[in-house]
Structures are given as C-alpha cells and as structure tokens.
Amino acid sequence: MKDPKIYGHWPYRDRPKVTWPGDKKLAFWVAPNIEYYELHPPKNPHRSPWARPNPDIVGYAYRDHGNRVGNWRLIEAMEKYNIPGTVSLSVAMCDHFPEMIDTVNDLGWEFFSHGVYNTRYAYGMDRAQERQMLQYTIDRIKAQTGQQTRGYLAPALTHTIHTIELLAELGFTYSCDLFQDDQPQPLNVPGNPLVSMPYSLEVNDHYAFNVFGMSPQQYTDILKRQFDTLLEEGGTSGTVMCIPIHAYLVGRSHRISPFEEILRYADEHKDDIWITRAGDIADHYLANHYDDARTHIAQFGGSDAA
Amino acid sequence: MPLDPNFLRYPMLRKGMDHDLYPAANMFEQPKVSWPDGKSVALMVTVAVEFFPLTPNDGPFRAAGHMATPFPDFRTFTARDYGNRIAIYRIMDALAAANIPATAFVSSALIDRTPKLVQDIQSTGWEIAAHGEDMNNIHYGDMPLDVEQRQIEACLSAWSDYGVTPKGWMSPGRGQSEDTLSLLKRAGIEWTADWGNDDMPYAMNDGPVAMPYTDEMEDRKCITILGQNEEVWSQQVIGAADLLAKEAQSHGGRILHLALTPYIIGQPFRIKFLRDLLTELAGRDDLWCATASEIYTTWQEQMA
C-alpha cells in the first residue's frame, strides 16, 4: 500500500475562507496529556513499552511524576490565564485517579480518548479488538464525566489500517492522529463526518525537550513564533494552533514558569483569537465549513494509485 | 491473527496505583514541612562517585555511563576514571568555596581502589550513601533473589568494615527488582534515590523512604542526552530554585535536588558554570544547604 488515502491533496492556497466565532482568525487550543503508563504491561509483539525489563522504574517514575506533581502545576497555570484544556486522556485514569478527573471536569475542560493505557498499543489488533477498545473509552469517559467524547488520539500514536474508519463509525467527529495540515480537513471515510484536527508533533513538548533538547525558554520562543505565523495566516483563512503537553515534562519545576509565558501571550491576544477546546472547533467547522472544504478539495484529484 | 485477548484485559485497573509499592498521592496535598530557620528550599546536592569495570555486565541493561564500545573500551574506562581523580576535586573545591555540603553516591569498590578519594570525601564533610559495589551490579526485574541479597550485603558490609553506615541507597543505574525495596529496608537502609516521581520525600508501603531524585535536571541528562550546554543547564537550575521558593510560600518547604556527575560537569571548560551556579545559590538567603540524610531526618520527624 503506498497511500492510505485518508484525505485528498489540498494545496494551501486559495482555500475557502474559514472564520472562527466572533470573526477570529486563529482557534487556539491546549492539549494536556493525562496519561497512565503501566508498571507491568503485556509486551506487544510489535513494540516494547519500556527500555528495561519490567519493572522499568526509571521510565515509570518519570511518567508518574506528572500525576503526582506536574498536572497540578499545569492546571494552576492554565486556570491563571483562563485557558480551558482539551485533555488527551488515558481513560484508565478514570479508575486510577478519579478525583483528578473530576477536578478537571469541574473546570469545564474537555476530554478526548487517548486509549486505555499509554502502554497498550493498537499494533496487531484486528478490527473487532480495536473497535472494542475504542467503544470502551467512549463509555468510560461518559460514565465518569458525563461527556460524550468526540475526539481521539491513538495511545502512543499506534494505529491500524482500520483506525480512522472506526472513528467515523463510532461517532467521533475529530481525529488528532494526522499531521498534514494547519486547518481541519474532511476525511475520506464512510459514515459520520470526521475531520482531522491539527494537534502537533513539532511543537509538542515531548519533541521540544526530548527530541530537540530545547531549553524551557527556547520552547516558549518557538511557541510564540508558531502563534504569530498562524495568526497572520488566519486572516486569509482561519487556522488552528494546538499546544500538546505532558505534565511530566512541562510541569517540572524548571519548565513551568517559562511555559506560563505562552499562556500569558495567548491571553494577551484573546481579543484576536478564539481560545477554545477541540470539540468546539470541530463542531463549528462541521456546521460552517466542512461542505465547502469537501467541494474545494475534490478539484485537486491527484493520482488515484493506492 | 489478532492480538492475544490479554491485551484487552486490565487486571490492575483500580483506584490508586497499578501496584502495591506506594500509594497514589498529590504532592500539593501532603502535610507542610518546615525547614530550619524558616528557609523555603532545601538544596540537596548529590554527586555520583562510580566505578565502571572494564568488562561490563552482560545484561539486561548497562547503567548510564558504562562501556560503550567493544572490549577493551579504554576510552570510556579512562574517561570515567578522570571523574574520580581530577573532576571530583574541582567539584569538592567548588562546593567547599560555596559552603555547600553534598551527598555522594559511592561505589563500595572504590574503598580499596581509590582509598584516598574516599577519605577525602569524608574529610570534606560529605555524606556517603551506598551505590552498590560497582556499576555492573544492577538491579532488575526477575533477578534471582539470592543474587540480589548478596549484592546488597556485599556492598553494605564493605562500608561497615570501613566504618561507614550509609542511611541512603541508590542502585547502580537506578533500577530495581520487585524485591529491592523490601530487601533494602531489611538491610537497614532508610531512604532510596531510585524513584524520580516526586519533588518531595514519600513513604513506601514496604521499603525505605523515596527521596526526590530530579533526573530531568541532572547534568548528565541535560548535557549528554538533551545536548544542552552547561550555561543552559545552570539557567534551568536557577529557574527551578525560583519556582520552588515561590511554591514554598503556599505549600511549605520544598527541595531543590541538584545531581552532579564529575566526569561531566567537572570538565575544565564546564566547571566555571558550576562555580557560578553554586555562588548564586549560596547567595540566596532562603536556601538551606544540607545533606540528603539531614533533609530526610528533618522531614521524617515532622511526618511522625
């Protein structure tokens, strides 16, 4: 297979104009990952969860810091600047740390499904197994928070060839799994309308700190540049900026204060941007821009070879 | 061929942790601790003083810093040796100049290999904490219990023969088996630095207290893994000191852990940044500079 053909080719030129509520040019969302990594996960035949044999306490403790310490610093920082989170949730957290989930829910943050545990991968699952896992996450979030979850990001970004089509079948409205665009894009799957929602690898704190080795200040600098560029382009057609973060990274004592600077920067621009949650972006897009986008994209055809 | 059905079963899905080693907790809900003289932040400097044998252990992993090229890896072996003969003295002098004590994690093999070094560590007033016999003696899942017991015993009796009773322990490579915590407790160890999941101490269900170990700010992590330069590393430490002092206003005493690796930060081109960092920290009047056991004991007494 050369191309999964999930979406059509769509040049970033002369696109139909997207506007966000209040005529805003940039939809800005922050995605805290609230995750659970198991101490003794079963080993997926395609990928090993830990670098060392179980128990890998160095790796495990590194993540656990987020749930003991970092999440609380992050929640305080976001609340300080009135930025609601859209949480990428390992739904096992509903069982392991229910009070944390209830606290976040009471703040008005949205939850989307990030699988059950971040140590359980979709690799090797057949369609029925993946469907069962996805449905479980919908049900668990609903039972704990009352929210009908609409979004998905695969645990540890592990997919199968069925993933996107299953999302549409199960009533999701947005997928954070695809990185091809700075605007939402209608996806070519049967069933309910489904869009790709700009999330990010490049300005994801995991990439910034662990891949590029950035200092906390450098991360804030790139976030500001990301923001400035997408806001300017948003005047032509509304863009989406997402800041994906992990409390065990950005919630560290040497990183949280520099990170607050970008939250403050967004708050300072609140008259120009829509500070919002991903589900709200998807709802607005589906109601106002989905059909025009489909029509526009159809003209760009491209090779049909699969 | 689908995945084994066990991949969709979650036997440890329950309230709290997915194990019985320690309870789930929110650091911000713990009882507040007070440091001496009303200080906000306890500065805990730790130094790795390690022996890496030329023939590394076979598996299942090697501790960070170990031999990296095929036997005989003279380059790594001697570069580590640099840490224990040159760099360590630069660090000792820098800490003494700032009047800041340290806690050294020392391979017990160095008692016989570099006796003068071990004496100098003691006479400079540093605490000695156990760090296994040498960097081959890792702890890992499913290791035979008797092997693990012998490893711990060999290390602690070497110290005992030398006249030191360590209160603290850090495993070579900071790994543990399922049994390490209870074995350490039975051996009389009071705190361990293997767990990096909190910024404050916390009690294990059956094991020594976990003292905070901030691996994200280790010189080794920042400089050799993240590729940052020493100036950026030291700026992050200052940032952490600022944040923790602020947090202490509402939440009680905080701990700033600074992990130093001699063969890294003790290089001639880097030592200036350590000296400047320590001068800056020593100049802060809200810092209590103490050894790990002093901090542990003060915390422990208030938690009783």
Side-chain angles (χ1 to χ4, degrees), chain B residues 104-239:
Chain B
F105 294 107
V106 185
S107 298
S108 64
L110 291 173
I111 293 169
D112 292 331
R113 292 180 173 275
T114 57
K116 181 69 166 62
L117 170 62
V118 181
Q119 285 162 29
D120 288 343
I121 286 172
Q122 285 185 292
S123 51
T124 202
W126 289 5
E127 175 185 350
I128 289 179
H131 192 26
E133 219 178 333
D134 63 46
M135 297 304 277
N136 279 353
N137 296 120
I138 57 170
H139 296 255
Y140 56 92
D142 287 336
M143 80 185 288
L145 185 65
D146 61 323
V147 169
E148 189 166 19
Q149 274 173 320
R150 272 203 310 274
Q151 255 178 215
I152 294 172
E153 162 71 12
C155 167
L156 295 180
S157 57
W159 283 116
S160 168
D161 293 345
Y162 183 70
V164 166
T165 308
K167 279 188 174 177
W169 170 282
M170 187 165 80
S171 299
R174 294 177 65 235
Q176 290 194 346
S177 75
E178 300 80 357
D179 304 311
T180 309
L181 286 168
S182 54
L183 288 173
L184 289 173
K185 183 173 169 190
R186 276 146 197 57
I189 293 294
E190 297 185 50
W191 59 263
T192 171
D194 291 336
W195 288 83
N197 55 339
D198 209 301
D199 288 353
M200 291 296 286
Y202 68 90
M204 290 287 182
N205 289 340
D206 181 20
V209 161
M211 286 297 280
Y213 191 92
T214 310
D215 37 23
E216 282 289 83
M217 271 200 301
E218 257 182 342
D219 54 359
R220 194 181 56 78
K221 170 95 193 225
C222 293
I223 293 170
T224 70
I225 296 175
L226 300 184
Q228 296 174 351
N229 69 36
E230 44 283 350
E231 185 170 19
V232 167
W233 165 75
S234 63
Q235 283 166 354
Q236 286 168 117
V237 177
I238 295 295

Side-chain angles (χ1 to χ4, degrees), chain A residues 182-253:
Chain A
D182 286 325
Q183 293 186 306
Q185 181 175 5
L187 300 179
N188 296 339
V189 282
N192 301 299
L194 181 70
V195 299
S196 56
M197 178 63 62
Y199 180 71
S200 180
L201 299 178
E202 299 289 343
V203 302
N204 189 309
D205 65 350
H206 167 76
Y207 272 64
F209 298 131
N210 290 335
V211 176
F212 297 114
M214 292 185 196
S215 72
Q217 195 56 57
Q218 282 174 314
Y219 183 43
T220 295
D221 290 346
I222 68 159
L223 288 169
K224 283 184 180 169
R225 279 186 265 131
Q226 181 88 342
F227 181 99
D228 291 344
T229 302
L230 289 173
L231 178 56
E232 193 192 313
E233 288 174 3
T236 306
S237 184
T239 50
V240 176
M241 172 169 173
C242 174
I243 304 181
I245 46 185
H246 304 74
Y248 63 81
L249 292 172
V250 84
R252 299 282 175 167
S253 58

Side-chain angles (χ1 to χ4, degrees), chain B residues 5 38 112 115 188 214 223 247 249 254 259 302:
Chain B
D112 292 331
T214 310
I223 293 170
E247 221 166 71
Q249 303 314 307
R254 282 288 184 250
Q302 292 175 41

Side-chain angles (χ1 to χ4, degrees), chain A residues 36-40 42-46 51-55 57-58 60-62 64-70 72-73 76 80 91-93 95-99 116-117 120-126 129-130 132-133 136 209-210 212-216 218 248-249 251-257 260, chain B residues 1-19 21-28 60-64 140-142 173-178 194-199 202 213-217 221-222 225-228 232 236-237 239-240 243-244 246-247 251 254 256:
Chain A
Y36 202 101
Y37 293 75
E38 299 162 277
L39 190 62
H40 293 282
K43 199 188 266 187
N44 187 294
H46 301 274
R52 295 175 173 182
N54 297 346
I57 69 162
V58 170
Y60 181 86
Y62 175 62
D64 191 36
H65 191 279
N67 291 334
R68 295 177 76 88
V69 183
W72 306 110
R73 288 194 180 125
E76 190 183 315
K80 186 168 162 186
V91 309
M93 287 294 288
D95 283 87
H96 289 292
F97 286 80
E99 294 93 355
V116 181
Y117 284 109
R120 299 283 178 124
Y121 310 133
Y123 296 141
M125 283 191 189
D126 67 12
Q129 288 176 319
E130 193 176 9
Q132 180 191 332
M133 182 271 286
Y136 173 81
F209 298 131
N210 290 335
F212 297 114
M214 292 185 196
S215 72
Q218 282 174 314
Y248 63 81
L249 292 172
R252 299 282 175 167
S253 58
H254 59 299
R255 292 186 178 133
I256 190 66
S257 301
E260 274 193 31
Chain B
M1 177 81 190
L3 283 185
D4 186 289
N6 277 325
F7 283 91
L8 278 95
R9 293 192 191 121
Y10 317 113
M12 299 308 283
L13 185 69
R14 63 188 192 176
K15 191 163 194 300
M17 304 311 293
D18 64 331
H19 56 71
L21 301 175
Y22 57 83
N26 173 347
M27 186 184 76
F28 294 88
F61 64 87
R62 287 185 195 169
Y140 56 92
D142 287 336
R174 294 177 65 235
Q176 290 194 346
S177 75
E178 300 80 357
D194 291 336
W195 288 83
N197 55 339
D198 209 301
D199 288 353
Y202 68 90
Y213 191 92
T214 310
D215 37 23
E216 282 289 83
M217 271 200 301
K221 170 95 193 225
C222 293
I225 296 175
L226 300 184
Q228 296 174 351
V232 167
Q236 286 168 117
V237 177
L243 185 280
L244 292 168
K246 195 170 91 170
E247 221 166 71
H251 297 287
R254 282 288 184 250
L256 174 61

